[in-house]
Amino acid sequence: MAGGKLKSGTKHGKHKGKRWKKGHSSDSNPQIRKHRLTAKNRFFNQNVGSSGLTEAALAKHDEISEDREDDITSTEKETGSVSGRTFSTWATNWTECTNTTFSRVHRYASSNSAMHKEILAVLAAVTEVIKASGGKESETEYFAALMTSLESVEGEQSLAAVAYLLSLVMKRVPPAVLKSRFSDIAKALLHVMASHVNTQFTSLLRSIIVCLTSVLRVQDPIVWNDSSTLQIYHGLLALTTHHKPKVRKAAHHAVCVILKGSSFMQHPESPHYHPASSATAKYCIQQIEDTGGTGEATTTLHMLGLLKDVLAVFPQHSVKAACETILRLMTLSNVLVTSVAMQTLHGMFSMQPKASSLPAELNAQIITALYDYQPGENDVQPLTAWLAVMEKAHVNLGRIDAKLCISHLPRIFNSAMKCLLSEKAEIAHVAADTLKILLNNCVASNMAFVKSVLTTAAESIPTPIHKMFRAVEGGLSYQFHAEWGQVLQILAAFFEVLGQECPKMMKKCLVSMADLRDSHRFPYKAELDHAVGVAVRRMGPRLVLEAVPLQITGNEDNYEFPRSWLIPVLRDNIKETELGFFTSYFLPLAAKLRAKSITYSKEDHLVESKTYDALQLQIWSLLPGFCTRPTDLKQSFKGVAKILGSALSDRADLRMTVMASLRKLIQHSLEREDNRTEVAKYAKNFLPILFNVFTVDTEYEKDPTRLAMLETIKTYLQLADRQLTASFCDKCLDKMLGQDIGSLQRHSLMDLAIAMVPHVNKPRLHRMHSFIVLQLESTDKTVQKKSYRILEEICAGKSPESIQFVTGTLTELQKLLLKSLSSSGPSSKAPRLRCLCHIFKNLKSSQHEFLIAVVPEAVLCTKEVGERARTAAYNLLDNMGTAQLTWSNKSQQETIQNYFELVMAGLAGSPHMVSATVLALTRLLYLYKADISRDLLELLVDQACLLLTSKAREIVQSALGYLKVLLSSFGDVDLAQHLKKLVLCLVSMKEDNKHHFRFKAKEIFGRLIRKFSYETIYSMVPESHHKMLVNLRKTQERAKKKKKQGGEYDEDEEEEEKSLKPSFTAESIDDILRDTDSEIDDVDDSRQTKAKKPHKKVAKSGSAWLKETGDDDIVDFMDPGVSKKVLATKPDSSVSSKKAIKHDFKMAPDGRLIITEEKEEMDTKIKKGKNVKEEAMDDLDELLDAMEGNPKKSRKRKMESIEVDEDEAPAKYKAGGSGIHRPIAVGKRKDRTGMGVEYKAKKAGGDMKKKGKPDPFAYVPLDFKQLNKRKRAKAAGQFKNLVKGAKKGAISGKRAKRRK
């Protein structure tokens, strides 16, 4: 259809079909639904007519199914193959073939393609011949028959069909057969290939290529020494430059398979390279040299594409020769050839060739040679490709030889840093990424060698590492100011990789960075802070502060503190460093700053006092970082412990910081025994301080400082000595038993007791148990709650002593919890329920009476307000079910049914109890859904249907949730018999509940539709619910459609993303060569007639430009650096060397300057002032028109043309006459009548207020419809013109006021 579009017959035909009526083209439910009804009738009704499913067919199918496994696994010896009647399907009637090799062919049975029918016919004929001769339909038999057919068949279409079948079967023919008949097979295939090399049937050549590949890849290495074998292989190579793209691609793939995937190349002791690789290299080099890259260079591009995939498996001499040829090609300055050559080298390095193919010396020589082909700094595509090749080359060299790689890195660093000076942001981005990758892959991966180089080198002789760093450090000069962000990222990578090994080398760089940070309006503060932070992590704060002092001493005359930005950077990055440095450097400084703050505070210098106080707090904020895995904890902690203790007791402003530091120190010290012992020594000092501060009365109990302190106490108790903890516990109990303590102090002591329970012995647990027995019935609800918390910690059994105590006093604990049920408050519910959970976990024997007593409490607590109490109640129900299963001797289903019946007793209580019971049943239903019998399921469904008809909303809400879980837990088979009952109860709810829970009921109907189909549910509900079901089905279909479309490809969005993101990679070889392919479909001529949107012209592929710096500059093509002046990107001609001279004179269209006198300028200004007033009046008219609802009148700007004659004033057109020449001046507003005229000012241009009347504003009456979301947009649109006119008038008024 190249001649035009495919036109619709209904639209342009002689007899028009039935069309939509006007205005009804978007109707969703047409009257005529012939195809829908047909499909629906076919889907829901039984099939009519004779069926092919007979008893004989079923018996045949059973026989095949039984024998299939044996048939598939049957094998023949050596020359035998897989055979047997492996399958028999509907397609077998076409060919009678039962070999699985041809399963793909059977897909063509319903195809209308002549080629597919020919393939089926050939297969049928070959199968018939094999069966007639008594064959077993093995691959070998098919291979022999097809080879015979290949020599005798006539016609290209039949020959293509035979070749296709042969390509399928040869992959499964035993290698011994292919080896023994190699010469005959190759001769026949080459004859067909040579005689049909220019055939129109591409599939014929592709199939012959596959056959040759299958034969050649199984041959032994000794066979490849024969010249005849190489001659056959050369036949394949000749097709790699075929004019047909599919043939060329098949030959390309065949060469790769032979060189990389031959059978002898897969063995562990395989040779380093294939015997035919040298021949391949010679052929490619010969083809490239013959064409020379001139003209379109199609053959050269094809050969480079082949070398990209196979160059890495060539022997060393072939790799060298091929690379030399590629480099010579790049001297031709053909942009397209150079780009593909870069891709070839990139592919070779990316495949990581063996050292036998690409030794380190040759790799280094290629790197050195590539510097002669470095493109210009502003040529985007070639330079990014060059950087990518250099990156892969250095990474591959580092993998082979680290020493040689490190020695070559300084040069690439210098070249990449020059790329940062490019005018193109893409080039700078790629260059920076290249350097970061080289640091991580070449330096970091060879750190052992780098360390040896740094340690053995003399200080006066710079190592390659020093040269690399100096190159990057030079990027901090003003010459690179536009790319300082990229330079700082590279420096951050340097600090990360080499910060620990050579910190002295980086000190000078840190000074330069600090000076830049202190400069005025430095734009890259975030990048610089990140780089300094990396240096702090890797080098340590001591070395960083030696290079970049903090410049805060406490003796400053000014209070700007230019280096204060270092403190947040240090705080966020200090870790795994010396704790002693904080003691020796920061603590004295913090003390000095605090003394300075106190001095200024006494002198009433509040600003200075607050400044120094904030500084000393910021310095203390560094302490948690120093306590994160310190390297000298054993030596330094004793020096800082006393200071931390005094800060805890005396400095309320430092407690949070000190406690956070202690917690980090303790958590990390648990990893090493020596650190753990060192920190545990000071528990006797820190814990009393923490206890005393925690038990002091505060204004409110939930102070965040107290919570942090309690957490610190719990953390420190993990290291404290048991005897020390026991003594603290005794003192705490003695104080709690005293009568002279306040309530807040008692609460604090109980919190300490909760923290100490897991770490005390059995006698203290008995004493603590005796104390809480008295407190469980306390009228102070906080004391009661904390008593339950102590009991919870005891029952949890976190220590061996707790486990022994709970086991011995289990009966007493049960009685205690049952006795205290009536006196427990709402806040105590959660810890009380958790105590019961722990008790049920420890019960080994049956305690049915205890379970019956606890069930009502657990059920009622599912309706508690507190989330923790509800969670604990649900967990208690789970634990009771697990305990009953453990105790019972009955089957699991019977036990679960008894447990459900026990819980269902609550359905006879109050509405609140019924609702809670339904929630409990919902949880148990989901938990034990696999063990519910049919009788129990029927009982649960009946109860749900009964509850849905209740009047109480509380019950109905719980029942709907219960029903939702029921539908999600059981399948359609289990619920099918209860479906009618469930639907009937849903539609029979009370009217009040039906309206209130309509959305929840709709959701349940949606689940029913998904489970049982729409038609089934539709037939069960009354007519009043049909509309809701129709809407629900449409919503579900819309959601499905939206979900399917969500993963589809969005062309517009993709194009927009491509336009926003710059492309850093060259187009692939397939894209480059696509224009030369002969089989690409022609573009429709109709596309050329479409209106094209204006777009920028894109340069043709292969276009090149010369870079010239001036009129007298002549490009010398003999210069080795000429490649930098041949650009693939068009140079920017808009930037001229001389800046345009700016002036304030007007300019005529022909370029002449217009210079007026002062008098003329004054007249012009006066006229402009009048025009401003007229424009303001026009804007006011538009505003009034908008208020009245009149349509907006279009207004054209009147432009005055500049006359060439300087003496005469520009003539202005005056309206007069009729038609288009009639005067259209706007009349005065005095004659205006309408709304708001009474507010018109007599002298001024606006409105004025009048006594006794509302202000002259536009009042809008309130409308109830505006509360509707759907109608809100329509209502808002009514005032769009009004607001727009008002804004325009206000802006015009401001402009006029300014010009006055």
Side-chain angles (χ1 to χ4, degrees):
M1 296 298 293
K5 289 185 178 178
L6 179 64
K7 297 183 179 180
S8 174
T10 58
K11 186 174 181 181
H12 301 285
K14 184 176 180 181
H15 301 286
K16 295 184 178 180
K18 187 173 180 179
R19 301 181 64 182
W20 296 106
K21 293 181 181 180
K22 188 175 182 180
H24 293 271
S25 61
S26 61
D27 287 354
S28 59
N29 291 315
Q31 296 178 356
I32 299 176
R33 296 181 292 174
K34 178 177 65 175
H35 299 292
R36 298 186 186 185
L37 293 174
T38 304
K40 182 178 179 181
N41 181 63
R42 178 66 177 166
F43 184 77
F44 290 103
N45 293 341
Q46 295 180 355
N47 293 328
V48 181
S50 60
S51 173
L53 186 63
T54 60
E55 294 183 1
L58 287 174
K60 192 175 182 181
H61 174 75
D62 293 339
E63 179 184 355
I64 294 169
S65 301
E66 292 173 0
D67 298 339
R68 179 173 296 176
E69 185 176 354
D70 296 335
D71 291 337
I72 293 176
T73 56
S74 62
T75 56
E76 296 180 356
K77 296 182 180 180
E78 294 189 2
T79 59
S81 61
V82 178
S83 62
R85 189 173 181 81
T86 54
F87 69 96
S88 180
T89 63
W90 56 271
T92 308
N93 297 327
W94 285 82
T95 63
E96 293 297 330
C97 175
T98 59
N99 195 301
T100 55
T101 305
F102 303 101
S103 58
R104 292 175 59 185
V105 177
H106 290 171
R107 301 174 192 170
Y108 303 151
S110 60
S111 175
N112 293 324
S113 171
M115 187 64 195
H116 292 170
K117 292 180 180 179
E118 186 69 22
I119 292 173
L120 288 169
V122 171
L123 181 59
V126 172
T127 304
E128 186 178 353
V129 170
I130 293 174
K131 287 187 174 183
S133 60
K136 298 180 180 179
E137 295 189 56
S138 64
E139 280 82 359
T140 307
E141 292 171 339
Y142 272 104
F143 166 69
L146 288 170
M147 284 299 300
T148 304
S149 301
L150 187 69
E151 298 173 357
S152 60
V153 73
E154 296 180 356
E156 288 190 345
Q157 189 171 0
S158 300
L159 195 61
V162 173
Y164 174 73
L165 295 173
L166 195 59
S167 66
L168 293 179
V169 75
M170 285 186 71
K171 296 177 182 178
R172 296 195 179 187
V173 172
V177 176
L178 298 179
K179 291 178 182 179
S180 61
R181 304 299 300 274
F182 170 60
S183 59
D184 297 335
I185 297 170
K187 182 179 179 181
L189 293 175
L190 282 177
H191 175 71
V192 175
M193 185 176 71
S195 56
H196 298 85
V197 69
N198 294 318
T199 180
Q200 295 298 323
F201 287 91
T202 310
S203 59
L204 172 59
L205 284 178
R206 290 170 61 194
S207 300
I208 295 297
I209 291 171
V210 173
C211 295
L212 280 174
T213 306
S214 302
V215 174
L216 289 173
R217 67 180 299 270
V218 299
Q219 302 304 318
D220 295 327
I222 193 171
V223 178
W224 284 95
N225 295 329
D226 297 337
S227 59
S228 58
T229 308
L230 292 177
Q231 187 177 1
I232 297 169
Y233 179 69
H234 273 282
L236 270 182
L237 286 176
L239 294 179
T240 56
T241 57
H242 197 273
H243 63 281
K244 294 283 188 179
K246 292 183 179 179
V247 176
R248 189 170 61 245
K249 186 176 180 180
H252 186 148
H253 179 70
V255 173
C256 295
V257 169
I258 292 171
L259 296 183
K260 298 179 184 178
S262 293
S263 56
F264 62 86
M265 295 294 293
Q266 307 298 323
H267 296 300
E269 299 179 357
S270 62
H272 294 296
Y273 49 86
H274 196 279
S277 56
S278 298
T280 308
K282 290 179 182 178
Y283 177 82
C284 294
I285 293 170
Q286 185 65 37
Q287 290 292 321
I288 292 174
E289 289 178 350
D290 291 343
T291 56
T294 57
E296 291 295 333
T298 306
T299 304
T300 302
L301 297 178
H302 294 333
M303 288 296 98
L304 290 175
L306 176 61
L307 287 174
K308 177 184 175 182
D309 292 332
V310 299
L311 188 56
V313 296
F314 285 174
Q316 179 181 346
H317 62 88
S318 299
V319 171
K320 184 177 181 181
C323 289
E324 289 174 352
T325 304
I326 292 171
L327 293 175
R328 283 198 301 272
L329 273 178
M330 295 169 65
T331 59
L332 299 176
S333 299
N334 186 322
V335 175
L336 188 58
V337 172
T338 303
S339 176
V340 182
M342 286 289 184
Q343 290 186 30
T344 304
L345 294 175
H346 184 274
M348 179 188 70
F349 290 122
S350 299
M351 293 174 67
Q352 296 183 354
K354 300 177 181 178
S356 58
S357 297
L358 183 65
E361 294 77 12
L362 180 57
N363 194 334
Q365 290 174 7
I366 297 173
I367 290 173
T368 305
L370 282 173
Y371 284 104
D372 295 333
Y373 305 96
Q374 181 179 352
E377 286 82 3
N378 296 321
D379 209 0
V380 180
Q381 191 274 333
L383 187 54
T384 52
W386 183 84
L387 287 170
V389 173
M390 296 297 282
E391 172 202 315
K392 291 295 182 182
H394 283 84
V395 171
N396 188 67
L397 182 58
R399 181 180 61 87
I400 302 172
D401 191 338
K403 181 179 179 181
L404 197 57
C405 176
I406 297 297
S407 64
H408 277 75
L409 284 178
R411 188 174 181 184
I412 184 62
F413 268 72
N414 288 319
S415 299
M417 289 303 296
K418 291 178 183 178
C419 294
L420 293 180
L421 297 173
S422 172
E423 298 174 0
K424 308 292 184 179
E426 301 95 324
I427 293 177
H429 179 77
V430 172
D433 288 345
T434 299
L435 294 184
K436 287 186 283 186
I437 291 172
L438 290 177
L439 281 172
N440 291 319
N441 293 345
C442 297
V443 180
S445 58
N446 298 306
M447 192 53 65
F449 173 76
V450 172
K451 289 180 180 178
S452 63
V453 170
L454 293 172
T455 53
T456 57
E459 295 184 1
S460 59
I461 302 175
T463 63
I465 301 296
H466 289 78
K467 295 178 182 178
M468 293 158 53
F469 188 76
R470 286 176 186 173
V472 179
E473 188 180 6
L476 295 177
S477 61
Y478 188 76
Q479 185 183 9
F480 295 84
H481 72 281
E483 298 298 334
W484 272 340
Q486 301 289 348
V487 174
L488 291 170
Q489 291 182 21
I490 302 170
L491 286 173
F494 250 112
F495 293 142
E496 184 72 35
V497 175
L498 296 166
Q500 284 184 331
E501 281 68 29
C502 45
K504 294 181 181 179
M505 176 183 69
M506 301 178 177
K507 285 187 177 181
K508 183 181 176 182
C509 178
L510 287 172
V511 175
S512 302
M513 292 168 63
D515 293 339
L516 279 178
R517 182 65 165 76
D518 297 338
S519 60
H520 180 61
R521 299 179 69 178
F522 181 66
Y524 302 103
K525 292 182 179 179
E527 290 85 352
L528 192 144
D529 290 349
H530 171 71
V532 175
V534 175
V536 170
R537 284 202 304 269
R538 302 296 295 171
M539 298 169 59
R542 184 191 295 274
L543 293 173
V544 173
L545 289 175
E546 286 178 2
V548 187
L550 203 55
Q551 294 183 358
I552 299 175
T553 60
N555 301 321
E556 294 83 3
D557 296 331
N558 60 350
Y559 309 107
E560 294 182 359
F561 304 109
R563 293 282 174 82
S564 59
W565 59 269
L566 265 175
I567 298 178
V569 175
L570 291 169
R571 180 194 62 211
D572 297 337
N573 294 281
I574 289 177
K575 63 178 181 179
E576 299 180 11
T577 187
E578 305 168 280
L579 180 60
F581 181 64
F582 180 82
T583 309
S584 60
Y585 182 84
F586 286 104
L587 277 183
L589 179 60
K592 192 172 183 179
L593 294 176
R594 175 170 169 75
K596 195 88 171 177
S597 173
I598 294 173
T599 303
Y600 278 123
S601 178
K602 291 179 181 178
E603 296 174 358
D604 292 334
H605 295 163
L606 296 180
V607 176
E608 292 82 354
S609 175
K610 291 289 184 182
T611 302
Y612 279 106
D613 186 55
L615 277 176
Q616 64 95 17
L617 289 176
Q618 287 184 357
I619 289 174
W620 272 100
S621 68
L622 305 178
L623 181 59
F626 281 98
C627 292
T628 305
R629 294 189 182 91
T631 57
D632 59 342
L633 176 63
K634 194 171 182 181
Q635 297 81 18
S636 303
F637 186 62
K638 57 185 177 183
V640 76
K642 186 176 181 180
I643 300 172
L644 296 181
S646 61
L648 277 175
S649 56
D650 302 334
R651 298 283 304 277
D653 56 339
L654 297 179
R655 282 175 186 163
M656 294 293 286
T657 302
V658 173
M659 288 187 294
S661 305
L662 281 175
R663 289 196 299 273
K664 284 193 173 184
L665 204 63
I666 294 167
Q667 289 168 359
H668 295 307
S669 65
L670 294 173
E671 302 170 1
R672 295 182 55 181
E673 190 61 32
D674 53 346
N675 291 343
R676 178 190 179 106
T677 306
E678 183 67 22
V679 177
K681 287 181 185 178
Y682 297 91
K684 59 184 178 183
N685 305 104
F686 280 106
L687 284 175
I689 297 173
L690 292 170
F691 288 159
N692 293 333
V693 177
F694 184 75
T695 54
V696 172
D697 291 339
T698 57
E699 295 181 0
Y700 56 98
E701 191 172 357
K702 293 185 178 180
D703 184 7
T705 307
R706 288 170 51 79
L707 296 176
M709 194 170 298
L710 182 61
E711 188 64 29
T712 307
I713 291 171
K714 291 180 179 179
T715 306
Y716 220 136
L717 284 172
Q718 299 176 12
L719 301 178
D721 185 57
R722 295 293 181 180
Q723 294 181 357
L724 181 65
T725 307
S727 62
F728 287 145
C729 183
D730 292 337
K731 293 179 181 178
C732 180
L733 287 171
D734 293 339
K735 287 188 177 182
M736 283 192 295
L737 293 172
Q739 302 296 328
D740 55 343
I741 59 173
S743 59
L744 289 178
Q745 191 175 6
R746 185 182 298 274
H747 298 165
S748 301
L749 291 170
M750 296 186 76
D751 286 331
L752 293 177
I754 295 170
M756 286 187 283
V757 165
H759 309 286
V760 296
N761 52 18
K762 193 172 180 180
R764 268 83 184 178
L765 289 175
H766 275 288
R767 188 179 177 191
M768 207 168 285
H769 176 259
S770 303
F771 168 75
I772 62 173
V773 168
L774 304 175
Q775 305 299 326
L776 288 180
E777 299 182 0
S778 173
T779 55
D780 189 345
K781 299 303 179 183
T782 305
V783 171
Q784 186 186 86
K785 176 183 176 181
K786 293 184 184 300
S787 300
Y788 276 111
R789 285 284 294 112
I790 295 173
L791 186 60
E792 178 190 350
E793 292 294 331
I794 295 174
C795 295
K798 295 180 180 179
S799 62
E801 291 83 358
S802 300
I803 295 173
Q804 294 178 4
F805 174 78
V806 171
T807 306
T809 58
L810 199 57
T811 307
E812 297 178 11
L813 291 173
Q814 291 176 247
K815 293 179 180 179
L816 177 64
L817 290 170
L818 292 177
K819 180 182 177 182
S820 59
L821 173 62
S822 58
S823 60
S824 61
S827 61
S828 306
K829 292 292 184 183
R832 173 183 168 81
L833 292 171
R834 289 196 290 268
C835 290
L836 290 169
C837 288
H838 293 306
I839 287 177
F840 273 102
K841 288 179 183 178
N842 290 313
L843 287 175
K844 304 300 180 184
S845 58
S846 178
Q847 298 282 344
H848 193 65
E849 294 181 357
F850 179 63
L851 186 141
I852 294 175
V854 173
V855 165
E857 181 183 3
V859 170
L860 279 173
C861 287
T862 58
K863 295 282 289 183
E864 283 290 330
V865 178
E867 182 182 358
R868 293 181 179 178
R870 295 198 303 272
T871 304
Y874 287 129
N875 291 335
L876 180 57
L877 288 169
D878 299 348
N879 289 328
M880 287 191 293
T882 305
Q884 195 162 7
L885 287 172
T886 306
W887 301 337
S888 178
N889 296 326
K890 300 179 181 178
S891 64
Q892 196 162 343
Q893 284 191 351
E894 292 180 2
T895 307
I896 294 300
Q897 185 166 354
N898 293 336
Y899 185 41
F900 268 86
E901 291 173 354
L902 179 62
V903 176
M904 288 170 64
L907 296 176
S910 62
H912 183 77
M913 183 66 183
V914 172
S915 176
T917 305
V918 174
L919 292 176
L921 288 172
T922 304
R923 174 63 177 246
L924 295 176
L925 177 68
Y926 180 77
L927 189 64
Y928 300 107
K929 57 188 174 184
D931 300 319
I932 292 179
S933 61
R934 291 186 177 181
D935 297 337
L936 179 58
L937 179 61
E938 184 177 0
L939 178 62
L940 293 173
V941 172
D942 292 340
Q943 294 297 331
C945 295
L946 182 63
L947 293 170
L948 284 173
T949 59
S950 174
K951 294 182 180 180
R953 286 185 180 179
E954 187 179 13
I955 297 175
V956 175
Q957 182 177 5
S958 301
L960 288 171
Y962 171 78
L963 197 58
K964 190 187 300 183
V965 174
L966 183 72
L967 292 174
S968 62
S969 300
F970 295 93
D972 50 356
V973 178
D974 299 322
L975 295 176
Q977 57 182 338
H978 310 294
L979 178 59
K980 194 169 184 179
K981 193 186 304 180
L982 290 172
V983 174
L984 184 62
C985 71
L986 278 173
V987 300
S988 303
M989 288 192 297
K990 305 297 181 184
E991 288 299 326
D992 181 49
N993 293 334
K994 189 183 295 183
H995 176 75
H996 190 267
F997 298 111
R998 61 188 183 278
F999 296 112
K1000 291 190 175 182
K1002 189 175 180 181
E1003 186 180 354
I1004 293 175
F1005 272 115
R1007 290 174 181 264
L1008 288 171
I1009 288 173
R1010 287 194 295 270
K1011 194 177 285 288
F1012 297 102
S1013 80
Y1014 168 79
E1015 287 75 13
T1016 306
I1017 305 300
Y1018 188 86
S1019 63
M1020 291 184 178
V1021 299
E1023 190 175 353
S1024 58
H1025 287 68
H1026 286 179
K1027 188 176 180 181
M1028 182 267 293
L1029 290 181
V1030 171
N1031 175 264
L1032 187 59
R1033 183 182 64 171
K1034 290 182 178 180
T1035 305
Q1036 289 181 350
E1037 290 176 352
R1038 197 179 301 119
K1040 287 181 182 178
K1041 187 176 179 181
K1042 189 175 181 181
K1043 186 177 180 181
K1044 289 181 180 178
Q1045 292 177 349
E1048 290 181 357
Y1049 175 78
D1050 192 352
E1051 263 188 20
D1052 297 336
E1053 186 177 352
E1054 185 71 18
E1055 288 179 2
E1056 185 178 355
E1057 289 179 1
K1058 287 183 179 179
S1059 64
L1060 293 177
K1061 296 180 180 179
S1063 176
F1064 299 131
T1065 58
E1067 52 187 359
S1068 65
I1069 186 67
D1070 295 331
D1071 296 333
I1072 294 171
L1073 302 180
R1074 187 172 290 131
D1075 293 336
T1076 65
D1077 296 342
S1078 61
E1079 292 192 354
I1080 296 179
D1081 297 333
D1082 295 331
V1083 180
D1084 293 343
D1085 296 336
S1086 59
R1087 295 186 182 180
Q1088 299 177 1
T1089 62
K1090 291 184 179 179
K1092 297 181 180 179
K1093 296 183 179 179
H1095 60 278
K1096 296 181 179 179
K1097 295 181 179 179
V1098 182
K1100 296 180 181 178
S1101 62
S1103 301
W1105 289 266
L1106 292 178
K1107 180 182 179 183
E1108 297 178 349
T1109 57
D1111 296 336
D1112 299 332
D1113 183 25
I1114 300 175
V1115 178
D1116 183 9
F1117 286 97
M1118 299 301 292
D1119 186 5
V1122 71
S1123 60
K1124 296 184 179 181
K1125 296 186 178 183
V1126 180
L1127 307 179
T1129 306
K1130 186 176 181 180
D1132 191 3
S1133 60
S1134 61
V1135 181
S1136 59
S1137 58
K1138 297 181 180 180
K1139 293 185 178 178
I1141 301 173
K1142 295 184 178 179
H1143 52 77
D1144 296 330
F1145 297 110
K1146 296 180 181 179
M1147 184 174 289
D1150 58 354
R1152 291 185 298 163
L1153 297 177
I1154 300 175
I1155 304 174
T1156 57
E1157 297 181 358
E1158 294 182 0
K1159 184 178 179 181
E1160 295 177 0
E1161 292 179 358
M1162 292 298 294
D1163 294 341
T1164 306
K1165 290 182 180 179
I1166 292 171
K1167 290 180 181 179
K1168 285 186 177 179
K1170 291 181 180 178
N1171 292 337
V1172 169
K1173 290 183 179 179
E1174 290 177 3
E1175 187 177 352
M1177 288 299 296
D1178 293 341
D1179 292 336
L1180 184 60
D1181 293 341
E1182 289 183 5
L1183 174 61
L1184 293 174
D1185 290 338
M1187 292 177 63
E1188 293 181 0
N1190 297 330
K1192 183 178 177 181
K1193 299 178 181 179
S1194 62
R1195 199 175 74 235
K1196 298 181 180 179
R1197 291 183 176 269
K1198 299 175 182 179
M1199 301 185 63
E1200 296 178 2
S1201 61
I1202 301 175
E1203 296 291 339
V1204 178
D1205 192 358
E1206 298 178 4
D1207 298 331
E1208 296 181 4
K1212 188 176 181 181
Y1213 170 76
K1214 293 183 179 179
S1218 61
I1220 62 173
H1221 303 287
R1222 70 187 184 281
I1224 54 173
V1226 180
K1228 295 182 179 180
R1229 289 292 165 181
K1230 291 183 179 179
D1231 299 335
R1232 182 183 177 88
T1233 58
M1235 183 181 63
V1237 175
E1238 62 271 18
Y1239 294 102
K1240 180 67 178 176
K1242 296 179 181 179
K1243 298 181 180 179
D1247 295 337
M1248 64 180 183
K1249 294 185 179 182
K1250 287 194 174 184
K1251 189 175 182 181
K1253 289 189 176 183
D1255 291 342
F1257 303 138
Y1259 291 93
V1260 181
L1262 296 177
D1263 191 358
F1264 182 77
K1265 294 180 180 179
Q1266 294 185 7
L1267 299 177
N1268 192 312
K1269 292 182 180 179
R1270 291 176 293 159
K1271 298 179 180 179
R1272 189 177 299 168
K1274 184 178 178 182
Q1278 297 177 359
F1279 310 104
K1280 190 177 293 183
N1281 291 334
L1282 179 64
V1283 175
K1284 188 176 180 181
K1287 288 182 177 179
K1288 191 172 182 181
I1291 293 171
S1292 300
K1294 286 183 180 179
R1295 290 175 180 170
K1297 192 173 182 181
R1298 289 175 188 168
R1299 291 172 183 173
K1300 289 180 181 179

